[in-house]
Amino acid sequence: MTSTGIRLHAPAPGWSISADVVVVGSGVAGLTAALRCEAAGLRTVVVTKARLDDGSTRWAQGGIAAALGEGDTPEQHLDDTLVAGAGLCDEEAVRILVTEGPDAVRRLMSTGAHFDTDDEGGIQLTREGGHHRRRIAHAGGDATGAEISRALVEAVRARGLRTIENALVLDLLTDAEGRTAGVSLHVMGEGQHDGVGAVHAPAVVLATGGMGQVFSATTNPSVSTGDGVALALRAGAEVSDLEFVQFHPTVLFLGPDTEGQQPLVSEAVRGEGAHLVDADGVRFMVGQHELAELAPRDIVAKGIMRRMQEQGAEHMFLDARHFGAEMWEHRFPTILAACRAHGIDPVTEPIPVAPAAHYASGGVRTDARGRTTVPGLYACGEVACTGVHGANRLASNSLLEGLVYAERIAADIARERAEEGLHARVPEPVPYPDRPAHPLLAPEDRFAIQRIMTDGAGVLRSEQSLRTAADRLQRLHSEARDALDENGKTSEPGVDTWEATNLLCVARVLVAAALLRAETRGCHWREDHADRDDTAWRRHIVVRLNPDRTLAVRTTDTADFPPTRQHRPQEQ
């Protein structure tokens, strides 16, 4: 795979540092990869967009799934994952996840993460949607992500890893042969460096999280603007399955015009016995699936949307009044506080909920070692598409995937560095272009993109809604491109214009894939193609960016991913 030659319009780097590996992102995936690389003797730099503990991981409420309980097995975990993935999971990728997962969780505990325990001192496990067993380990009741983030951040600081906080990654740097040579980045405000700089390294790990901010309402933090996926596309990497955006069924409904990050009401609340009801108190999920409220997330989200459509309602309710005050205060203190902060007391009243964008099951296409189609570029966590999630992520598999595949990436980088010499020569990046190769959008275009995507590519989609969305996105793209082509002018480089440009990039890919997939599967719901079509569509949609900034879209021949690249021919 060759580079597109496309880079964001930005000043040339004014400073640089060198490393063996640069990890972009500081969630469970990024910090795990960084700690493992550092332990292997590699000079490791962590770049993160905000503070070390400010990514999506710390917002994870429910927990981390692994076959840790008595009677549970990796095979049962695999079966539940494959069912949730609706025929598009890579079974080998899932097998890696569920078999390596339990020991990876134990290593996380040895790093310092403390999970809730029962009276006998064993890990306390709960159930979530799609799981037939209690296998979700949690911390602080409903603050699992915060505890994992705390433990990993403390470990990174204790090991003295070099970190660059408040830094937006811009583009992948490559050498004359197209191999990874590091990243360019912009340090915002006060930091170790000012302005645009570079980290030169022969290996780059993307762990930048998701792209939930492409929609008006999301559970994702404001930093989740698809930067990693957009960077990978400009670098010539392939992305896959971006149409499969999981909408969490139970997000606290704050009003029809509310935008930005919304409070999540964890699936674990339903796992402990809460019921979904309409305004009349009717449990509408009973009879729709054998697991009722604990069906996979796509089924519950669709059930809520159907009931809302039938009744002309803006939301449904989650009723957990029967928990009582003591259970709410000890098991779900974070959710209780969030609800009360918005004037809702779940101890005495049902919680208004509606689906909101939550998780991208697709992303930068990788193999079982996290390798992308660009030599030296790796991806893990939500930014990656490993094949684990298929068409719909099983609840609480995301933290586990970040953990397991980050460890595999670190092992692969360490192996390659050992073969080439531990501190091999850092490749020389090709010079920065004299003129901008990619136009920048105006900051206000971010909100236009979010409205377009919510209207046309939300929970319920159709050919008409997606074509309208595609046309409106193309208009934004064309206006920016034409201004650049005609007079060489583009919006002023800056964090808000770079983020808006990244959001447009991922939005165009998502809509193109959703328009092509003329079926309903997993969390991709087409009202004009209501049925799943295994004959035509049990395959993946792969997209890359052409040098002229158009999209090259293709489907795979089967449900299996083709190899990303041949690092070592004898392995394949």
Side-chain angles (χ1 to χ4, degrees):
M1 182 63 64
T2 57
S3 172
T4 64
I6 300 172
R7 287 179 178 168
L8 289 174
H9 178 32
W15 54 267
S16 66
I17 59 174
S18 295
D20 295 315
V21 56
V22 54
V23 177
V24 186
S26 61
V28 63
L31 295 189
T32 298
L35 286 166
R36 296 294 181 269
C37 285
E38 191 272 343
L42 299 171
R43 297 172 299 160
T44 305
V45 174
V46 177
V47 174
T48 187
K49 193 172 180 180
R51 299 188 308 272
L52 276 182
D53 61 352
D54 233 5
S56 292
T57 290
R58 76 181 181 97
W59 297 100
Q61 295 174 344
I64 186 167
L68 297 165
E70 184 178 350
D72 198 4
T73 64
E75 199 67 28
Q76 294 176 68
H77 190 183
L78 180 142
D79 290 342
D80 285 344
T81 301
L82 294 180
V83 169
L88 280 186
C89 294
D90 182 301
E91 186 167 340
E92 182 55 31
V94 178
R95 195 170 297 280
I96 288 168
L97 179 83
V98 300
T99 55
E100 297 183 10
D103 283 343
V105 172
R106 294 184 185 101
R107 284 189 290 273
L108 179 62
M109 294 169 65
S110 69
T111 303
H114 302 293
F115 292 97
D116 295 339
T117 56
D118 55 30
D119 294 339
E120 287 75 42
I123 298 177
Q124 195 176 68
L125 301 172
T126 190
R127 272 183 70 193
E128 291 184 356
H131 293 272
H132 283 78
R133 284 191 174 273
R134 286 182 170 265
R135 66 167 66 97
I136 316 301
H138 49 82
D142 59 357
T144 310
E147 170 58 17
I148 291 173
S149 180
R150 179 205 62 78
L152 291 173
V153 168
E154 285 187 6
V156 163
R157 288 176 174 154
R159 298 294 291 267
L161 267 74
R162 184 163 192 173
T163 60
I164 304 176
E165 297 181 281
N166 301 306
L168 172 65
V169 67
L170 298 176
D171 281 302
L172 189 76
L173 304 178
T174 55
D175 65 14
E177 297 176 354
R179 287 190 57 87
T180 292
V183 292
S184 59
L185 63 153
H186 173 75
V187 179
M188 299 173 272
E190 294 183 5
Q192 292 166 282
H193 304 275
D194 249 344
V196 175
V199 181
H200 295 160
V204 170
V205 181
L206 291 179
T208 52
M211 54 183 200
Q213 289 290 326
V214 79
F215 294 97
S216 295
T218 177
T219 63
N220 289 193
S222 60
V223 295
S224 298
T225 51
D227 307 320
V229 172
L231 173 150
L233 283 162
R234 289 192 296 271
E238 293 182 346
V239 303
S240 185
D241 298 356
L242 224 60
E243 69 271 29
F244 296 118
V245 175
Q246 187 176 83
F247 287 78
H248 198 288
T250 53
V251 174
L252 184 63
F253 181 76
L254 301 178
D257 299 322
T258 305
E259 296 184 340
Q261 186 178 10
Q262 315 284 302
L264 176 67
V265 182
S266 169
E267 197 152 329
V269 178
R270 283 175 279 137
E272 296 292 352
H275 302 142
L276 279 167
V277 298
D278 60 20
D280 298 321
V282 176
R283 287 183 63 190
F284 55 88
M285 284 305 300
V286 175
Q288 292 198 37
H289 190 275
E290 60 168 337
L291 296 175
E293 285 94 348
L294 283 176
R297 287 178 177 172
D298 64 307
I299 293 172
V300 179
K302 291 171 188 173
I304 291 173
M305 290 297 295
R306 286 193 187 99
R307 197 66 158 193
M308 287 165 55
Q309 289 176 329
E310 290 169 3
Q311 299 188 342
E314 294 178 325
H315 61 82
M316 290 288 110
F317 294 93
L318 188 65
D319 192 352
R321 290 175 290 181
H322 55 283
F323 284 5
E326 184 178 356
M327 181 174 175
W328 267 110
E329 289 166 3
H330 288 88
R331 180 66 179 87
F332 300 111
T334 307
I335 299 170
L336 178 63
C339 289
R340 285 177 169 170
H342 291 283
I344 298 153
D345 188 350
V347 176
T348 60
E349 60 186 317
I351 306 167
V353 293
H358 181 57
Y359 190 89
S361 292
V364 185
R365 190 166 76 81
T366 74
D367 64 10
R369 297 184 181 186
R371 303 178 299 195
T372 74
T373 50
V374 175
L377 179 65
Y378 296 78
C380 58
E382 190 173 355
V383 71
C385 182
T386 62
V388 160
H389 303 309
N392 182 50
R393 175 177 66 89
L394 181 65
S396 288
N397 267 357
S398 53
L399 291 175
L400 190 71
E401 184 201 31
L403 194 61
V404 167
Y405 281 87
E407 291 188 342
R408 295 178 70 84
I409 285 173
D412 194 71
I413 294 173
R415 184 165 41 245
E416 288 212 342
R417 293 287 77 76
E419 291 179 2
E420 298 173 5
L422 186 59
H423 302 305
R425 181 182 64 84
V426 175
E428 183 70 26
V430 296
Y432 242 58
D434 293 331
R435 69 185 299 271
H438 199 300
L440 299 179
L441 270 68
E444 58 269 22
D445 287 336
R446 173 178 183 146
F447 305 104
I449 294 165
Q450 291 172 334
R451 287 190 290 270
I452 290 168
M453 295 299 288
T454 296
D455 291 344
V459 180
L460 183 57
R461 304 162 177 176
S462 67
E463 180 176 3
Q464 181 178 352
S465 76
L466 289 165
R467 287 200 182 281
T468 299
D471 290 345
R472 294 172 68 189
L473 293 173
Q474 182 60 38
R475 195 173 306 125
L476 288 174
H477 176 75
S478 298
E479 288 171 355
R481 179 200 60 201
D482 293 345
L484 180 67
D485 291 344
E486 289 172 8
N487 53 34
K489 292 184 179 179
T490 186
S491 293
E492 190 70 22
V495 173
D496 47 5
T497 57
W498 289 321
E499 285 186 334
T501 303
N502 285 339
L503 283 171
L504 178 61
C505 180
V506 297
R508 291 176 64 218
V509 174
L510 192 161
V511 169
L515 188 55
L516 183 59
R517 184 172 291 279
E519 65 158 355
T520 290
R521 181 185 298 270
C523 51
H524 172 67
W525 186 13
R526 287 279 297 263
E527 62 177 339
D528 53 335
H529 294 280
D531 299 321
R532 172 171 155 176
D533 183 355
D534 280 349
T535 301
W537 287 110
R538 191 163 178 258
R539 58 195 68 200
H540 303 277
I541 295 175
V542 178
V543 183
R544 60 180 176 81
L545 192 63
N546 291 320
D548 64 357
R549 301 190 293 273
T550 59
L551 301 178
V553 185
R554 67 181 176 88
T555 59
T556 58
D557 295 330
T558 68
D560 297 326
F561 276 132
T564 53
R565 64 181 188 271
Q566 302 285 337
H567 261 217
R568 305 176 185 87
Q570 67 272 21
E571 287 177 0
Q572 304 297 335

PDB file of all heavy atoms in Angstrom, residues 20 49 105 108 167 186 217 227 234 236 276 294 309 314 319 323 344 354 396 412 436 438-439 446 471 554-555:
ATOM      1  N   ASP A  20      11.766   4.729  19.548  1.00  0.00           N
ATOM      2  CA  ASP A  20      11.585   3.458  18.853  1.00  0.00           C
ATOM      3  C   ASP A  20      10.129   3.253  18.473  1.00  0.00           C
ATOM      4  O   ASP A  20       9.817   2.626  17.457  1.00  0.00           O
ATOM      5  CB  ASP A  20      12.037   2.287  19.738  1.00  0.00           C
ATOM      6  CG  ASP A  20      13.525   2.330  20.016  1.00  0.00           C
ATOM      7  OD1 ASP A  20      14.295   2.561  19.060  1.00  0.00           O
ATOM      8  OD2 ASP A  20      13.929   2.124  21.183  1.00  0.00           O
ATOM      9  N   LYS A  49      -4.255  13.465  23.320  1.00  0.00           N
ATOM     10  CA  LYS A  49      -4.912  14.688  22.882  1.00  0.00           C
ATOM     11  C   LYS A  49      -5.269  15.619  24.032  1.00  0.00           C
ATOM     12  O   LYS A  49      -5.313  16.840  23.866  1.00  0.00           O
ATOM     13  CB  LYS A  49      -6.167  14.322  22.095  1.00  0.00           C
ATOM     14  CG  LYS A  49      -6.784  15.468  21.313  1.00  0.00           C
ATOM     15  CD  LYS A  49      -7.895  14.922  20.440  1.00  0.00           C
ATOM     16  CE  LYS A  49      -8.566  16.007  19.634  1.00  0.00           C
ATOM     17  NZ  LYS A  49      -9.654  15.474  18.790  1.00  0.00           N
ATOM     18  N   VAL A 105      -6.431  -9.812  31.825  1.00  0.00           N
ATOM     19  CA  VAL A 105      -7.092  -9.123  32.940  1.00  0.00           C
ATOM     20  C   VAL A 105      -6.283  -9.306  34.225  1.00  0.00           C
ATOM     21  O   VAL A 105      -6.121  -8.374  35.014  1.00  0.00           O
ATOM     22  CB  VAL A 105      -8.537  -9.631  33.114  1.00  0.00           C
ATOM     23  CG1 VAL A 105      -9.156  -9.068  34.390  1.00  0.00           C
ATOM     24  CG2 VAL A 105      -9.393  -9.247  31.907  1.00  0.00           C
ATOM     25  N   LEU A 108      -3.493  -7.005  34.152  1.00  0.00           N
ATOM     26  CA  LEU A 108      -3.973  -5.658  34.452  1.00  0.00           C
ATOM     27  C   LEU A 108      -4.105  -5.469  35.963  1.00  0.00           C
ATOM     28  O   LEU A 108      -3.748  -4.418  36.509  1.00  0.00           O
ATOM     29  CB  LEU A 108      -5.320  -5.422  33.761  1.00  0.00           C
ATOM     30  CG  LEU A 108      -5.999  -4.068  33.976  1.00  0.00           C
ATOM     31  CD1 LEU A 108      -5.142  -2.924  33.447  1.00  0.00           C
ATOM     32  CD2 LEU A 108      -7.368  -4.050  33.299  1.00  0.00           C
ATOM     33  N   ALA A 167      -1.869  17.152  22.983  1.00  0.00           N
ATOM     34  CA  ALA A 167      -1.275  17.170  21.642  1.00  0.00           C
ATOM     35  C   ALA A 167      -2.186  16.452  20.650  1.00  0.00           C
ATOM     36  O   ALA A 167      -2.507  15.272  20.825  1.00  0.00           O
ATOM     37  CB  ALA A 167       0.101  16.511  21.663  1.00  0.00           C
ATOM     38  N   HIS A 186       0.450  18.634  17.021  1.00  0.00           N
ATOM     39  CA  HIS A 186       0.359  20.022  17.468  1.00  0.00           C
ATOM     40  C   HIS A 186       0.093  20.028  18.962  1.00  0.00           C
ATOM     41  O   HIS A 186      -0.916  19.465  19.421  1.00  0.00           O
ATOM     42  CB  HIS A 186      -0.772  20.756  16.744  1.00  0.00           C
ATOM     43  CG  HIS A 186      -1.039  22.134  17.275  1.00  0.00           C
ATOM     44  ND1 HIS A 186      -0.216  23.199  17.011  1.00  0.00           N
ATOM     45  CD2 HIS A 186      -2.024  22.619  18.067  1.00  0.00           C
ATOM     46  CE1 HIS A 186      -0.690  24.283  17.605  1.00  0.00           C
ATOM     47  NE2 HIS A 186      -1.785  23.956  18.263  1.00  0.00           N
ATOM     48  N   ALA A 217     -25.551  13.626  19.245  1.00  0.00           N
ATOM     49  CA  ALA A 217     -25.656  13.079  20.595  1.00  0.00           C
ATOM     50  C   ALA A 217     -24.833  11.808  20.684  1.00  0.00           C
ATOM     51  O   ALA A 217     -24.991  10.887  19.883  1.00  0.00           O
ATOM     52  CB  ALA A 217     -27.116  12.786  20.942  1.00  0.00           C
ATOM     53  N   ASP A 227      -9.803  11.185  14.729  1.00  0.00           N
ATOM     54  CA  ASP A 227      -8.490  11.622  14.248  1.00  0.00           C
ATOM     55  C   ASP A 227      -7.633  10.458  13.748  1.00  0.00           C
ATOM     56  O   ASP A 227      -6.928  10.580  12.747  1.00  0.00           O
ATOM     57  CB  ASP A 227      -7.737  12.355  15.366  1.00  0.00           C
ATOM     58  CG  ASP A 227      -8.546  13.487  15.973  1.00  0.00           C
ATOM     59  OD1 ASP A 227      -9.227  14.202  15.210  1.00  0.00           O
ATOM     60  OD2 ASP A 227      -8.517  13.638  17.203  1.00  0.00           O
ATOM     61  N   ARG A 234      -5.455   9.106   5.241  1.00  0.00           N
ATOM     62  CA  ARG A 234      -4.532   9.976   4.496  1.00  0.00           C
ATOM     63  C   ARG A 234      -3.192   9.277   4.257  1.00  0.00           C
ATOM     64  O   ARG A 234      -2.510   9.550   3.273  1.00  0.00           O
ATOM     65  CB  ARG A 234      -4.329  11.291   5.248  1.00  0.00           C
ATOM     66  CG  ARG A 234      -5.547  12.207   5.235  1.00  0.00           C
ATOM     67  CD  ARG A 234      -5.209  13.607   5.736  1.00  0.00           C
ATOM     68  NE  ARG A 234      -4.796  13.611   7.127  1.00  0.00           N
ATOM     69  CZ  ARG A 234      -5.628  13.730   8.157  1.00  0.00           C
ATOM     70  NH1 ARG A 234      -6.931  13.829   7.963  1.00  0.00           N
ATOM     71  NH2 ARG A 234      -5.152  13.751   9.401  1.00  0.00           N
ATOM     72  N   GLY A 236      -2.844   6.214   3.529  1.00  0.00           N
ATOM     73  CA  GLY A 236      -3.011   5.129   2.570  1.00  0.00           C
ATOM     74  C   GLY A 236      -3.508   3.833   3.166  1.00  0.00           C
ATOM     75  O   GLY A 236      -3.601   2.817   2.468  1.00  0.00           O
ATOM     76  N   LEU A 276     -36.933  -2.095  30.918  1.00  0.00           N
ATOM     77  CA  LEU A 276     -37.277  -1.048  29.962  1.00  0.00           C
ATOM     78  C   LEU A 276     -38.792  -1.004  29.835  1.00  0.00           C
ATOM     79  O   LEU A 276     -39.441  -2.028  29.588  1.00  0.00           O
ATOM     80  CB  LEU A 276     -36.652  -1.336  28.602  1.00  0.00           C
ATOM     81  CG  LEU A 276     -35.184  -0.941  28.437  1.00  0.00           C
ATOM     82  CD1 LEU A 276     -34.606  -1.564  27.171  1.00  0.00           C
ATOM     83  CD2 LEU A 276     -35.016   0.567  28.416  1.00  0.00           C
ATOM     84  N   LEU A 294     -31.897  -7.815  28.072  1.00  0.00           N
ATOM     85  CA  LEU A 294     -30.481  -8.167  27.980  1.00  0.00           C
ATOM     86  C   LEU A 294     -30.118  -8.759  26.616  1.00  0.00           C
ATOM     87  O   LEU A 294     -29.099  -9.445  26.478  1.00  0.00           O
ATOM     88  CB  LEU A 294     -30.093  -9.135  29.101  1.00  0.00           C
ATOM     89  CG  LEU A 294     -29.914  -8.473  30.469  1.00  0.00           C
ATOM     90  CD1 LEU A 294     -29.629  -9.505  31.538  1.00  0.00           C
ATOM     91  CD2 LEU A 294     -28.807  -7.436  30.426  1.00  0.00           C
ATOM     92  N   GLN A 309     -41.363   5.174  17.835  1.00  0.00           N
ATOM     93  CA  GLN A 309     -42.078   5.491  16.602  1.00  0.00           C
ATOM     94  C   GLN A 309     -43.563   5.177  16.728  1.00  0.00           C
ATOM     95  O   GLN A 309     -44.418   5.948  16.303  1.00  0.00           O
ATOM     96  CB  GLN A 309     -41.478   4.714  15.428  1.00  0.00           C
ATOM     97  CG  GLN A 309     -40.103   5.205  14.997  1.00  0.00           C
ATOM     98  CD  GLN A 309     -39.508   4.337  13.899  1.00  0.00           C
ATOM     99  OE1 GLN A 309     -39.762   3.136  13.834  1.00  0.00           O
ATOM    100  NE2 GLN A 309     -38.702   4.931  13.046  1.00  0.00           N
ATOM    101  N   GLU A 314     -40.427  10.671  22.441  1.00  0.00           N
ATOM    102  CA  GLU A 314     -39.037  11.076  22.267  1.00  0.00           C
ATOM    103  C   GLU A 314     -38.079  10.174  23.025  1.00  0.00           C
ATOM    104  O   GLU A 314     -36.876  10.217  22.791  1.00  0.00           O
ATOM    105  CB  GLU A 314     -38.843  12.522  22.735  1.00  0.00           C
ATOM    106  CG  GLU A 314     -39.582  13.539  21.881  1.00  0.00           C
ATOM    107  CD  GLU A 314     -39.401  14.953  22.396  1.00  0.00           C
ATOM    108  OE1 GLU A 314     -39.325  15.134  23.624  1.00  0.00           O
ATOM    109  OE2 GLU A 314     -39.324  15.876  21.559  1.00  0.00           O
ATOM    110  N   ASP A 319     -36.644   1.427  34.336  1.00  0.00           N
ATOM    111  CA  ASP A 319     -37.228   1.409  35.679  1.00  0.00           C
ATOM    112  C   ASP A 319     -36.416   0.501  36.596  1.00  0.00           C
ATOM    113  O   ASP A 319     -36.375  -0.713  36.418  1.00  0.00           O
ATOM    114  CB  ASP A 319     -38.680   0.929  35.607  1.00  0.00           C
ATOM    115  CG  ASP A 319     -39.439   1.172  36.911  1.00  0.00           C
ATOM    116  OD1 ASP A 319     -38.795   1.561  37.909  1.00  0.00           O
ATOM    117  OD2 ASP A 319     -40.667   0.961  36.927  1.00  0.00           O
ATOM    118  N   PHE A 323     -34.643  -1.459  42.969  1.00  0.00           N
ATOM    119  CA  PHE A 323     -33.304  -1.645  43.532  1.00  0.00           C
ATOM    120  C   PHE A 323     -33.229  -1.125  44.965  1.00  0.00           C
ATOM    121  O   PHE A 323     -32.548  -1.687  45.812  1.00  0.00           O
ATOM    122  CB  PHE A 323     -32.261  -0.888  42.701  1.00  0.00           C
ATOM    123  CG  PHE A 323     -31.894  -1.526  41.394  1.00  0.00           C
ATOM    124  CD1 PHE A 323     -32.545  -2.653  40.926  1.00  0.00           C
ATOM    125  CD2 PHE A 323     -30.884  -0.968  40.614  1.00  0.00           C
ATOM    126  CE1 PHE A 323     -32.206  -3.238  39.711  1.00  0.00           C
ATOM    127  CE2 PHE A 323     -30.530  -1.541  39.397  1.00  0.00           C
ATOM    128  CZ  PHE A 323     -31.204  -2.670  38.947  1.00  0.00           C
ATOM    129  N   ILE A 344     -33.189  13.979  38.053  1.00  0.00           N
ATOM    130  CA  ILE A 344     -33.900  12.699  38.015  1.00  0.00           C
ATOM    131  C   ILE A 344     -33.376  11.826  39.150  1.00  0.00           C
ATOM    132  O   ILE A 344     -32.153  11.653  39.283  1.00  0.00           O
ATOM    133  CB  ILE A 344     -33.689  11.988  36.665  1.00  0.00           C
ATOM    134  CG1 ILE A 344     -34.253  12.847  35.530  1.00  0.00           C
ATOM    135  CG2 ILE A 344     -34.321  10.603  36.661  1.00  0.00           C
ATOM    136  CD1 ILE A 344     -33.582  12.626  34.211  1.00  0.00           C
ATOM    137  N   ALA A 354     -32.837   7.127  25.757  1.00  0.00           N
ATOM    138  CA  ALA A 354     -32.954   7.001  24.302  1.00  0.00           C
ATOM    139  C   ALA A 354     -31.589   6.604  23.761  1.00  0.00           C
ATOM    140  O   ALA A 354     -30.563   6.862  24.397  1.00  0.00           O
ATOM    141  CB  ALA A 354     -33.413   8.314  23.678  1.00  0.00           C
ATOM    142  N   SER A 396     -19.030  -4.891  26.823  1.00  0.00           N
ATOM    143  CA  SER A 396     -17.814  -4.985  27.641  1.00  0.00           C
ATOM    144  C   SER A 396     -16.680  -5.784  27.004  1.00  0.00           C
ATOM    145  O   SER A 396     -15.713  -6.138  27.671  1.00  0.00           O
ATOM    146  CB  SER A 396     -18.132  -5.546  29.040  1.00  0.00           C
ATOM    147  OG  SER A 396     -18.824  -4.577  29.803  1.00  0.00           O
ATOM    148  N   ASP A 412       4.872  -7.767  18.893  1.00  0.00           N
ATOM    149  CA  ASP A 412       5.307  -7.758  17.503  1.00  0.00           C
ATOM    150  C   ASP A 412       6.365  -6.691  17.265  1.00  0.00           C
ATOM    151  O   ASP A 412       7.360  -6.927  16.565  1.00  0.00           O
ATOM    152  CB  ASP A 412       4.111  -7.528  16.576  1.00  0.00           C
ATOM    153  CG  ASP A 412       4.436  -7.837  15.123  1.00  0.00           C
ATOM    154  OD1 ASP A 412       4.598  -9.031  14.810  1.00  0.00           O
ATOM    155  OD2 ASP A 412       4.561  -6.900  14.325  1.00  0.00           O
ATOM    156  N   PRO A 436      -0.590  23.189   0.891  1.00  0.00           N
ATOM    157  CA  PRO A 436      -1.498  22.250   1.543  1.00  0.00           C
ATOM    158  C   PRO A 436      -2.074  21.246   0.555  1.00  0.00           C
ATOM    159  O   PRO A 436      -2.471  21.600  -0.557  1.00  0.00           O
ATOM    160  CB  PRO A 436      -2.596  23.153   2.118  1.00  0.00           C
ATOM    161  CG  PRO A 436      -2.493  24.431   1.358  1.00  0.00           C
ATOM    162  CD  PRO A 436      -1.055  24.579   0.997  1.00  0.00           C
ATOM    163  N   HIS A 438      -4.512  19.098   1.609  1.00  0.00           N
ATOM    164  CA  HIS A 438      -5.868  18.791   2.050  1.00  0.00           C
ATOM    165  C   HIS A 438      -6.508  20.065   2.591  1.00  0.00           C
ATOM    166  O   HIS A 438      -6.006  20.661   3.539  1.00  0.00           O
ATOM    167  CB  HIS A 438      -5.846  17.715   3.143  1.00  0.00           C
ATOM    168  CG  HIS A 438      -7.170  17.026   3.314  1.00  0.00           C
ATOM    169  ND1 HIS A 438      -8.320  17.707   3.655  1.00  0.00           N
ATOM    170  CD2 HIS A 438      -7.527  15.725   3.190  1.00  0.00           C
ATOM    171  CE1 HIS A 438      -9.322  16.852   3.735  1.00  0.00           C
ATOM    172  NE2 HIS A 438      -8.880  15.651   3.463  1.00  0.00           N
ATOM    173  N   PRO A 439      -7.624  20.502   2.017  1.00  0.00           N
ATOM    174  CA  PRO A 439      -8.265  21.728   2.498  1.00  0.00           C
ATOM    175  C   PRO A 439      -8.843  21.527   3.896  1.00  0.00           C
ATOM    176  O   PRO A 439      -9.248  20.426   4.267  1.00  0.00           O
ATOM    177  CB  PRO A 439      -9.380  21.962   1.474  1.00  0.00           C
ATOM    178  CG  PRO A 439      -9.680  20.596   0.930  1.00  0.00           C
ATOM    179  CD  PRO A 439      -8.374  19.863   0.918  1.00  0.00           C
ATOM    180  N   ARG A 446     -18.229  21.653  11.823  1.00  0.00           N
ATOM    181  CA  ARG A 446     -18.355  20.496  12.734  1.00  0.00           C
ATOM    182  C   ARG A 446     -19.820  20.245  13.079  1.00  0.00           C
ATOM    183  O   ARG A 446     -20.295  19.112  13.046  1.00  0.00           O
ATOM    184  CB  ARG A 446     -17.533  20.739  13.993  1.00  0.00           C
ATOM    185  CG  ARG A 446     -17.724  19.695  15.088  1.00  0.00           C
ATOM    186  CD  ARG A 446     -16.820  19.993  16.266  1.00  0.00           C
ATOM    187  NE  ARG A 446     -16.920  18.989  17.310  1.00  0.00           N
ATOM    188  CZ  ARG A 446     -15.906  18.609  18.071  1.00  0.00           C
ATOM    189  NH1 ARG A 446     -14.707  19.138  17.884  1.00  0.00           N
ATOM    190  NH2 ARG A 446     -16.068  17.720  19.024  1.00  0.00           N
ATOM    191  N   ASP A 471     -24.871  13.683  -0.203  1.00  0.00           N
ATOM    192  CA  ASP A 471     -24.871  14.899  -1.018  1.00  0.00           C
ATOM    193  C   ASP A 471     -24.459  16.117  -0.188  1.00  0.00           C
ATOM    194  O   ASP A 471     -23.675  16.965  -0.646  1.00  0.00           O
ATOM    195  CB  ASP A 471     -26.255  15.137  -1.625  1.00  0.00           C
ATOM    196  CG  ASP A 471     -26.602  14.120  -2.712  1.00  0.00           C
ATOM    197  OD1 ASP A 471     -25.672  13.431  -3.189  1.00  0.00           O
ATOM    198  OD2 ASP A 471     -27.793  14.002  -3.050  1.00  0.00           O
ATOM    199  N   ARG A 554     -14.687  -0.978  -1.803  1.00  0.00           N
ATOM    200  CA  ARG A 554     -14.818  -2.336  -2.338  1.00  0.00           C
ATOM    201  C   ARG A 554     -15.353  -3.261  -1.250  1.00  0.00           C
ATOM    202  O   ARG A 554     -15.332  -2.928  -0.066  1.00  0.00           O
ATOM    203  CB  ARG A 554     -13.475  -2.866  -2.846  1.00  0.00           C
ATOM    204  CG  ARG A 554     -12.439  -3.086  -1.756  1.00  0.00           C
ATOM    205  CD  ARG A 554     -11.117  -3.593  -2.340  1.00  0.00           C
ATOM    206  NE  ARG A 554     -10.073  -3.720  -1.328  1.00  0.00           N
ATOM    207  CZ  ARG A 554      -9.853  -4.793  -0.585  1.00  0.00           C
ATOM    208  NH1 ARG A 554     -10.641  -5.855  -0.755  1.00  0.00           N
ATOM    209  NH2 ARG A 554      -8.884  -4.827   0.309  1.00  0.00           N
ATOM    210  N   THR A 555     -15.845  -4.407  -1.684  1.00  0.00           N
ATOM    211  CA  THR A 555     -16.272  -5.425  -0.732  1.00  0.00           C
ATOM    212  C   THR A 555     -15.326  -6.615  -0.814  1.00  0.00           C
ATOM    213  O   THR A 555     -14.757  -6.904  -1.877  1.00  0.00           O
ATOM    214  CB  THR A 555     -17.703  -5.903  -1.022  1.00  0.00           C
ATOM    215  OG1 THR A 555     -17.761  -6.437  -2.355  1.00  0.00           O
ATOM    216  CG2 THR A 555     -18.692  -4.759  -0.892  1.00  0.00           C
TER     217      THR A 555
END
